[in-house]
Amino acid sequence: MSRRPDSDEPASDGAGRDGEIRGLPPEWGTIVVPDDLRDLSDEVESVRAEIAAERRVRRRRRWLRPGLSGPLFALILFLVAAIGSLMVIVLPKPSRPPRREPLASPSVAVGVAGGLVPALSLSGDGGMTSSLREFRPAVLLISPAGCTTCSVVRNRLVTATDETQLTVIWVTESSQAITRLPGLAANRLVSLADPTAMARTAIAGVSATGPTAVLIRTDGRIRRIVPNVTDPATLRPELAALTIR
């Protein structure tokens, strides 16, 4: 049996009475080994909780170190900028009415494709007269008397021009202009009365039975004349081209 260096009492490397372990540093205090290790479950859970808390603190300190905060902040700024750019691309842009250009002077005859739209003055809402050449770019929808599908085609044409914000000129062969659609901007649909069918006479290829769409460019020239149109949505590529001189 050995003795402790600072004492005459013999030192023991094993457990003493009551499970007490001897021969350990004094600052450790008294350590007793129980007969059943399950009695240490509370102490084990407490130690595990302390270790987990220390790990969380170390992780938090690691993210807050100056060496990592800079790159992390730059990454966040990059992601915000990328998301903002994507929203600008994806979200619909507010449309502006197309700009009217000076009236052209083509060598082609008036009232045919490539030539100017006729300078007809027709009566509108309130009895005021308007010239067809005032509206450019625009789409004329000439509706003969007794047309039963023209109002439906008119509504579809207004929808088809939502993206381009073109003005739709609804020329009806009646004694008075038809009231415009409620809730629609005044520059999107203009109704003109043409009781003597002057537009049908002055523009080539206009149908006498169904609606005819006349596509007018920014400078007043006629791009195309489409008789008996039924689905204006098919004209969207050409409607978009009207805004380009």
Side-chain angles (χ1 to χ4, degrees), residues 21-240:
I21 299 179
R22 304 182 186 278
L24 299 176
E27 60 270 17
W28 286 16
T30 301
I31 298 179
V32 178
V33 179
D35 295 334
D36 191 347
L37 293 179
R38 287 176 295 181
D39 295 339
L40 295 177
S41 59
D42 294 340
E43 286 78 1
V44 170
E45 293 299 328
S46 177
V47 172
R48 287 178 178 174
E50 292 180 3
I51 294 175
E54 290 179 359
R55 287 177 179 173
R56 287 194 295 269
V57 171
R58 285 198 298 268
R59 283 197 297 266
R60 191 179 303 111
R61 290 175 178 174
R62 184 173 58 212
W63 284 107
L64 293 178
R65 283 186 300 174
L68 291 177
S69 60
L72 182 60
F73 182 70
L75 177 61
I76 293 175
L77 288 181
F78 174 78
L79 292 176
V80 171
I83 294 174
S85 300
L86 182 62
M87 292 179 65
V88 170
I89 296 174
V90 174
L91 293 179
K93 302 178 180 64
S95 300
R96 295 181 179 179
R99 185 177 61 178
R100 182 174 67 174
E101 301 289 345
L103 201 65
S105 301
S107 57
V108 182
V110 173
V112 298
L116 291 175
V117 64
L120 299 177
S121 295
L122 302 177
S123 177
D125 292 338
M128 298 183 63
T129 58
S130 300
S131 173
L132 294 184
R133 288 186 180 177
E134 295 178 8
F135 307 102
R136 59 183 193 271
V139 184
L140 289 181
L141 186 64
I142 302 176
S143 303
C147 178
T148 58
T149 61
C150 288
S151 60
V152 176
V153 175
R154 174 207 62 188
N155 295 343
R156 292 177 179 174
L157 182 58
V158 170
T159 301
T161 56
D162 281 343
E163 296 178 359
T164 56
Q165 291 292 293
L166 289 168
T167 301
V168 176
I169 312 300
W170 191 26
V171 178
T172 60
E173 295 181 358
S174 60
S175 58
Q176 60 182 4
I178 308 299
T179 305
R180 63 184 181 89
L181 296 177
L184 192 66
N187 65 332
R188 292 283 286 109
L189 178 62
V190 176
S191 180
L192 299 176
D194 184 18
T196 59
M198 291 189 298
R200 179 152 53 93
T201 303
I203 300 176
V206 175
S207 173
T209 57
T212 299
V214 182
L215 282 58
I216 304 174
R217 297 177 181 269
T218 57
D219 58 2
R221 291 178 299 157
I222 297 175
R223 174 183 173 88
R224 186 184 174 193
I225 301 170
V226 187
N228 298 313
V229 60
T230 57
D231 186 9
T234 60
L235 302 176
R236 279 178 175 170
E238 295 184 79
L239 295 176

